[in-house]
Structure formats: structure tokens, C-alpha cells
Amino acid sequence: MTIQDIIRKTLQQIKQRNLTLTPDVYSEYFCQEAKRAKVIVEDCQKFEKFVNQLPSDIKKMVKKRDVQNVDQLVRLLAAELTRTDAKKSGEIIQAYVLLTKRLLQVIELLHDRTASKMAKVDRDKIASFLDKVEIDAIRDHWNNFVIDYDDSFLDRLDIYCKVDKSDLEAMVDAIIECIKSKKSDISLQEVAQIVIASMTPSIASGMDDELATVSNQIRSNPELLTSKAMIDDLKYMIQKRIELDKKAVVKQITELDSVIEHISSTLVNVINWGDNNHKAIRAIQGELGSIDLKADSFEVIHAKLIAIANSLESETKNLNEEMHNSHEEVNALRKRVKILEEALRKERKRSTTDPLTNLPNRRAIDDFISKQESAYKRYGDNYAVVLFDIDHFKSVNDTYGHDAGDVILASFGKLLRRYSRDLDFVGRWGGEEFLVVLPKTDKKGALQFAEKLREIVKKSKFMYKDTRIPITVSGGVADRANHSSIESMLKQADENLYKAKKGGRNKVVN
């Protein structure tokens, strides 16, 4: 089969389906015909080439979605890329939020030199963009620090001296060394104040009753610091102070967790809702950036996060309202379009259909002939017409009434449609005249069709109120190849019909 044959078959398929000839429609049907004919056309292989170059998971998606052409493939890839980018952005934002949460756990513990150094290094890292793996590594680093941290070395604070306080552990060691050498000139009253301070929780909101009792005893009698029993009590109390601080940290983290998780989930939803939320997202990112983990207290950070959460909640509410309103508007428009489409369909049918016979009217016939004329001029596809007229139809109306005439017209129309081909076009030309357009048919083929219909009508029983009405038809035949124009062909068919009637009726003339 040649390319010309494939082109001809493609155009036939488009005509038979009454499709508008566009580049996309032509390309689709052309490639189908080429594949059916087992002819390899390079332009028809583009889609397969593109698919073969895709990753295996995308290939599976293409097959699952039943993607058939390049346009559908482009739309699928664009949608997948948009969805992947939004998901990736949400993961990174969540990772940053979790990292911030872990840094807040240790913000009040930065009196430790190691913790201070870690905080400074990691805070510098956060200033630049990190991927999710790097963020998770920093978060795990701080998790381990919080779990392993233990300031029980304060138990050694039996006696106190003035030393460098930049490092807590070094300070305690220096105090012990000072007392051992008996070079300290610090009074027990000063030591008592420092001991009381060391027992006061640095994170928890206050002491419990037991800690308060011991603190009052030392404050009223500093000499107790020299007794072994008090030293043992102090070790126990300092450990208790550590437990209180840890409980306070857990409580603060829990409070921040609920706020941050709410911010995270809501922010991801805002991102996933589309491209129109850039302004709101930038504003929220600015608010998150304003949090100073080093300078701000827990209360200030908590208040800022609550404000951000409220802002997100407001933005989410606005988006929900907009989506709800848009959904209602779309539904209303859909209903209206559906009504208009149905009205248009009925109107189109009325404008191109004869109400009595339910056949296409003259306007519809003219449209169909115009399509056949285009194919004739472009590809040389000949076509023919047969103009039928019911013999003595006026006598039928006069004898049996107009209702009987209407029944004859409708019945004859059904006969024409029943015995014509699927690609033929049957319509009512006007009055008792009917026109049949025969695509890909010459004058000889049209004459055979017309003679067959004439014989069928002659032998048929046309009934009206239990009365048989004898009916015959005459016909005029013409084809396009033997005429210079449509008008000339139709005129010839009309003249041949006139000759058939003048020749005694119940005849076909070509």
C-alpha cells in the first residue's frame, strides 16, 4: 500500500465520522491507517520514541493513563512535574521546622561550652540552603546532645570560690581545687547564695516544696554546707533540679510541637493549593525568619509561632471560602452550559431536519453536497445524485386526504433510508421530492440504485386506515464527473426526472 492510499483512507475515515479536518485529527487517523497497513512513517513514531526515553516509572504511568499521543504525554509530564515540585518544597519546609524545634530544646542550655559551639556552627549552616539529608543530620546531632546531656557535675559544689564562669564544669573543678588548697577567702554566706542559685531550676518556672525547704535552711544557716548530710542532700537536690528542668524542656517542646506541626501541615496545604499563594507564603517565610533562636525567649518564640499559625489559619480559611465560591460558580456554569448545549442541539436538529419525515432537509443536503464537492475537487472522488418524485401525489391527497399523503411521504422516506448504504445521504428535497446523494458512485451505479428503489416502491404496500394505496415513483439521475458544477448536475437530475414523468412515470432516466 502506498502513502497516497493511506492518505485516501485517512480522509475517508474522517469523512465517515463527520469530523472537522484539522492537523491533529488528520495526524491521528493517518498514523492509525499507516499502522494498520504496516507502513512505518517516521512522524508517527515520535510518540513511541519519546516514551522509550522516559524512566521506567514514568513509562508505567503513561501505560496506566492510556496516553496515546504527544500532546497527552506533555500534559501528563507537566502535571507530574508540578506535583513533584510542590511535594519536594513541602518536605524541605517540614525538615526546617523540625530542625528549629530541636534547636529550641537546647536554647536554654547554652551555658555549656560544647553546646554553645554546636549551636554557633549549626546556626551558621542554617543561613545557607540545605537539602533534607543535611537538615536531618543536624537535627539528629542535637537530639543526641539533649538525650546525653547531664550536668550532675554540679554535685561537686561543696565549697565555692571566685573563678572563671565561662564553663560550668571548669568552674566546679576550680571551686573544689580552691577549697582543697584552703586559699579561698569566700564566706559561707556567699557560697550559700551560689548553692541556692545552682539548685534553682534554670528552665522550670519554680522549685517544688522540697527544694524550697532546703534552700531556706541553707539561707538561714550557711554553716550547714560543711556537714556531710547537707552535702548528700545537695547532691540529691541538684539532681532533682536537673529533672525539673528536663520536664520543663519536654513541656515547652510539646507546646511548640503542636504549634509547629500545625504550621507545617497548613503551610504544605497552602503550597499544594496552587501558584496564587506566593504572596502569602513569602509573608509567612518572612515571619519565620524573624525568629531569633539565640536572642528570643521561649515565650517570645511561642508567641511568634502562634501568630504565624493564626496567619496561616486565616489564609487557609480564605482559600477554603474562595474554593467553595468557585466550586458553586463552576457548578452553576456547568448547569447553564448543559442547558444551552441541549437547546443548541435541539435547535440544530430542527434547523436541518424535516419534521414530517425526520429526514435531513434541503439545508442539510446542501451542506453534505458541499463536503462531497470538496473531496471531488481535491481527490477526484466522483459522486452521484438521484432525485425521486412520488407519482400522482396530488391525487393521493385529493382522494385519501392530506393525512394519508403525510403517511405516504414518511413511509417513502423510511424505505429510502432502509435500502440505501450507510455512507449515502437521504433527504427531503421539497414537497413530494426526495434527493439521495451517493458518494463514490458514478452514473451507472446511481441508475442501478434508483431502479432497485423504484421496483421496491412499486411492490410495497402503503397502508392508510386499513386501505392500501398504490404508489410508484419516478427518478432522475446525474453524476458530478459529467458536469462542470453542482448546479449543472442538479439541473440535469431535475430534467431527467421531468423526462421520466413525461414518459409515463414509474421510470428512471439518466
Side-chain angles (χ1 to χ4, degrees):
M1 182 179 289
T2 66
I3 293 296
Q4 292 297 326
D5 294 331
I6 293 174
I7 292 174
R8 186 174 293 106
K9 284 196 172 186
T10 299
L11 294 169
Q12 289 174 6
Q13 288 290 334
I14 294 173
K15 291 176 197 171
Q16 290 176 8
R17 288 170 172 76
N18 288 328
L19 300 174
T20 303
L21 186 60
T22 64
D24 290 341
V25 172
Y26 175 79
S27 175
E28 179 182 352
Y29 281 87
F30 176 83
C31 290
Q32 289 179 4
E33 289 296 330
K35 184 176 181 181
R36 196 174 291 116
K38 297 182 179 180
V39 175
I40 298 176
V41 180
E42 185 175 352
D43 285 346
C44 294
Q45 305 301 314
K46 289 181 179 179
F47 174 72
E48 286 77 7
K49 289 181 180 179
F50 290 154
V51 172
N52 289 335
Q53 294 174 4
L54 295 173
S56 58
D57 55 338
I58 301 297
K59 287 181 182 178
K60 291 179 182 178
M61 187 181 301
V62 170
K63 184 176 180 181
K64 182 178 180 182
R65 301 285 179 84
D66 194 25
V67 178
Q68 298 293 331
N69 54 53
V70 174
D71 288 342
Q72 293 177 357
L73 179 62
V74 171
R75 288 194 293 269
L76 174 65
L77 292 177
E80 181 64 16
L81 181 60
T82 301
R83 185 185 68 80
T84 301
D85 288 344
K87 181 179 178 182
K88 184 177 180 182
S89 299
E91 289 178 351
I92 291 176
I93 289 173
Q94 287 180 319
Y96 267 111
V97 172
L98 289 174
L99 172 60
T100 303
K101 178 173 62 179
R102 298 301 174 246
L103 292 177
L104 287 173
Q105 292 179 19
V106 299
I107 194 64
E108 295 295 334
L109 303 176
L110 296 184
H111 57 271
D112 182 274
R113 181 177 298 169
T114 302
S116 298
K117 184 177 179 181
M118 286 174 57
K120 184 178 184 308
V121 172
D122 290 343
R123 190 162 55 251
D124 293 338
K125 287 181 180 179
I126 295 173
S128 60
F129 181 80
L130 302 177
D131 61 27
K132 187 177 183 299
V133 174
E134 293 171 321
I135 292 172
D136 288 343
I138 295 175
R139 185 191 66 207
D140 293 340
H141 191 196
W142 280 107
N143 279 342
N144 294 334
F145 177 84
V146 172
I147 292 171
D148 298 334
Y149 184 80
D150 183 9
D151 59 355
S152 59
F153 54 84
L154 290 173
D155 293 346
R156 290 172 287 175
L157 209 164
D158 296 330
I159 302 174
Y160 183 77
C161 290
K162 285 188 177 180
V163 294
D164 183 10
K165 299 181 180 62
S166 61
D167 183 79
L168 185 59
E169 187 172 9
M171 178 188 73
V172 173
D173 289 338
I175 292 173
I176 294 173
E177 189 64 30
C178 179
I179 297 300
K180 284 181 179 179
S181 64
K182 299 182 179 180
K183 293 180 181 180
S184 174
D185 58 354
I186 300 176
S187 67
L188 285 177
Q189 186 68 39
E190 293 175 312
V191 174
Q193 295 299 322
I194 295 172
V195 171
I196 293 170
S198 70
M199 289 192 301
T200 303
S202 59
I203 299 175
S205 58
M207 303 184 195
D208 64 3
D209 292 341
E210 194 173 8
L211 280 173
T213 299
V214 173
S215 296
N216 289 333
Q217 288 176 351
I218 294 173
R219 189 179 291 110
S220 61
N221 186 9
E223 294 295 331
L224 292 173
L225 291 173
T226 60
S227 69
K228 186 178 184 304
M230 180 56 72
I231 291 173
D232 290 338
D233 286 343
L234 287 176
K235 290 179 180 179
Y236 170 74
M237 292 302 167
I238 290 174
Q239 185 61 40
K240 191 166 187 178
R241 169 259 182 183
I242 294 172
E243 295 301 323
L244 285 174
D245 277 346
K246 286 184 176 181
K247 288 180 181 179
V249 169
V250 172
K251 182 180 179 182
Q252 291 178 357
I253 289 173
T254 302
E255 293 177 7
L256 292 175
D257 272 349
S258 61
V259 177
I260 291 173
E261 293 297 340
H262 177 67
I263 291 173
S264 176
S265 61
T266 308
L267 189 56
V268 170
N269 289 335
V270 172
I271 291 172
N272 290 337
W273 275 337
D275 298 332
N276 297 326
N277 305 318
H278 290 163
K279 185 176 180 181
I281 293 171
R282 283 198 297 271
I284 292 165
Q285 287 175 336
E287 293 174 0
L288 284 171
S290 70
I291 297 176
D292 189 337
L293 300 180
K294 184 176 181 181
D296 291 345
S297 65
F298 166 77
E299 290 75 13
V300 171
I301 293 171
H302 187 268
K304 288 184 177 180
L305 289 175
I306 289 293
I308 293 171
N310 291 336
S311 176
L312 274 171
E313 189 172 348
S314 176
E315 185 67 25
T316 303
K317 183 178 180 181
N318 292 336
L319 286 171
N320 283 332
E321 290 177 355
E322 290 177 7
M323 291 177 68
H324 178 72
N325 294 336
S326 298
H327 184 69
E328 290 183 346
E329 291 176 2
V330 168
N331 285 339
L333 287 173
R334 282 177 178 168
K335 291 180 181 178
R336 186 176 179 185
V337 167
K338 188 174 182 180
I339 293 171
L340 291 174
E341 286 177 343
E342 180 63 19
L344 181 60
R345 185 189 65 78
K346 291 180 180 179
E347 185 58 32
R348 282 178 175 172
K349 185 174 181 181
R350 280 198 299 269
S351 66
T352 58
T353 304
D354 175 58
L356 177 61
T357 61
N358 205 28
L359 292 174
N361 59 19
R362 188 158 184 164
R363 176 189 291 180
I365 296 172
D366 288 339
D367 290 342
F368 186 80
I369 291 176
S370 295
K371 294 178 182 177
Q372 297 305 309
E373 182 68 13
S374 297
Y376 172 75
K377 289 181 177 179
R378 181 172 294 184
Y379 308 109
D381 292 343
N382 192 20
Y383 64 98
V385 296
V386 180
L387 185 60
F388 287 105
D389 184 273
I390 299 175
D391 296 331
H392 304 294
F393 185 71
K394 184 176 182 304
S395 298
V396 172
N397 281 333
D398 293 343
T399 303
Y400 301 99
H402 288 283
D403 289 344
D406 290 345
V407 171
I408 298 301
L409 290 172
S411 299
F412 179 58
K414 291 178 181 178
L415 278 177
L416 286 175
R417 193 155 45 190
R418 182 185 306 164
Y419 291 101
S420 59
R421 301 173 300 177
D422 290 341
L423 58 89
D424 297 335
F425 195 84
V426 179
R428 185 179 180 186
W429 192 244
E432 64 269 26
E433 291 183 339
F434 294 78
L435 187 74
V436 182
V437 184
L438 305 167
K440 299 186 179 300
T441 306
D442 57 13
K443 185 165 63 173
K444 181 179 178 181
L447 179 61
Q448 292 175 351
F449 168 77
E451 284 290 355
K452 181 183 73 173
L453 258 295
R454 184 188 63 79
E455 285 293 331
I456 289 171
V457 170
K458 181 180 177 181
K459 295 176 182 179
S460 296
K461 295 180 179 180
F462 291 85
M463 304 295 296
Y464 177 69
K465 292 184 178 180
D466 298 329
T467 301
R468 180 181 178 182
I469 303 175
I471 295 296
T472 60
V473 294
S474 300
V477 176
D479 69 343
R480 180 66 179 86
N482 291 299
H483 296 86
S484 60
S485 65
I486 297 174
E487 291 76 13
S488 174
M489 175 187 65
L490 294 174
K491 182 179 180 183
Q492 185 63 56
D494 187 63
E495 290 176 354
N496 289 340
L497 174 61
Y498 180 77
K499 291 177 182 178
K501 285 189 167 293
K502 285 294 183 182
R505 293 182 171 81
N506 193 26
K507 292 182 179 180
V508 177
V509 176
N510 65 345

